């Protein structure tokens, strides 16, 4: 059930992002600013995910420290 929810949410988020990008392309001269902002946020999000995946210390504490 949880996986189905995530799949549906990712489909809707992808459709929304495509609609936003299409709207920015239509508003060409000013839409470029929005596209640059979305790309910047995407790169920052990718960096955060990469840093979290490579951090062994966080994995150790999340598995071994009592809550």
């Amino acid at each position: 059930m949880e996986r189905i929810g995530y799949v549906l949410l990712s489909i809707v988020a992808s459709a929304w992002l495509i609609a936003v990008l299409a709207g920015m392309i239509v508003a060409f001269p000013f839409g470029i600013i929005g596209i640059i902002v979305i790309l910047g946020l995407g790169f920052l999000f990718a960096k955060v995910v990469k840093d979290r995946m490579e951090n062994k210390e966080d994995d150790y504490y999340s598995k071994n420290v009592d809550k």
Side-chain angles (χ1 to χ4, degrees):
M1 293 298 259
E2 183 179 357
R3 184 171 290 189
I4 293 171
Y6 284 131
V7 167
L8 291 174
L9 187 60
S10 65
I11 290 170
V12 170
S14 298
W16 178 79
L17 186 61
I18 290 170
V20 167
L21 289 174
M24 287 182 190
I25 290 170
V26 170
F28 173 65
F30 303 107
I32 294 294
I33 296 170
I35 291 174
I36 292 171
V37 169
I38 290 175
L39 285 174
L41 291 174
F43 282 122
L44 288 175
F45 181 72
K47 181 185 181 323
V48 167
V49 170
K50 180 181 159 236
D51 287 347
R52 175 59 191 99
M53 297 293 283
E54 293 176 351
N55 195 340
K56 304 280 187 230
E57 185 178 352
D58 284 346
D59 291 337
Y60 172 80
Y61 283 112
S62 67
K63 291 177 186 174
N64 296 322
V65 174
D66 294 331
K67 294 181 181 179

